[in-house]
Amino acid sequence: QVQLVESGGGLVQPGGSLRLSCAASGSIRRFNLMGWYRQAPGKQRELVAIMISDGSTNSADSVKGRFTISRDSPKNMVYLQMNSLKPEDTAVYYCNAALYGVGQPQIYWGQGTQVTVSS
């Protein structure tokens, strides 16, 4: 059973920074995709940033140039460095992992970590 545990959320002022961490049970090298999503109150969950197994990344236009996804494979960790935070970044942030193979893809989620950007 795959477990993803996020940490690093909290309250930060506009313009500040936070680094979210996602600890996976077992090797993250097995996943085809790992990423971060977020869900603000009253809104649908949306993609923030993803990393493919070859190390390539992509992110939402709203966070480009401010957020960076990275990984530490030996530690089975994925990170989201968030800089120049804005109030509209306030949301619960979820770590996600996906395995693609024969049949339905296997999708895993963490429990989420709250990020609040406010003065």
Side-chain angles (χ1 to χ4, degrees):
Q1 182 69 16
V2 174
Q3 287 190 324
L4 302 173
V5 180
E6 303 97 334
S7 62
L11 173 64
V12 63
Q13 291 188 342
S17 298
L18 281 175
R19 188 176 82 154
L20 304 183
S21 300
C22 173
S25 59
S27 174
I28 63 172
R29 292 186 175 94
R30 57 187 155 151
F31 297 119
N32 302 99
L33 278 173
M34 292 198 74
W36 289 93
Y37 288 72
R38 68 186 181 187
Q39 188 166 18
K43 294 189 177 181
Q44 289 190 329
R45 193 172 295 190
E46 64 175 3
L47 173 70
V48 177
I50 57 169
M51 176 175 282
I52 301 174
S53 55
D54 65 359
S56 58
T57 64
N58 201 356
S59 58
D61 288 343
S62 59
V63 306
K64 271 187 169 65
R66 301 189 298 123
F67 291 11
T68 303
I69 186 171
S70 63
R71 67 186 177 190
D72 186 336
S73 295
K75 294 183 179 178
N76 298 319
M77 298 288 293
V78 176
Y79 304 100
L80 184 69
Q81 179 65 44
M82 306 186 294
N83 299 327
S84 302
L85 281 160
K86 304 175 181 180
E88 51 263 43
D89 295 318
T90 295
V92 178
Y93 284 71
Y94 297 91
C95 182
N96 167 273
L99 277 172
Y100 295 93
V102 177
Q104 294 289 328
Q106 298 174 57
I107 308 296
Y108 304 96
W109 294 96
Q111 82 289 349
T113 186
Q114 176 71 47
V115 172
T116 302
V117 185
S118 175
S119 54

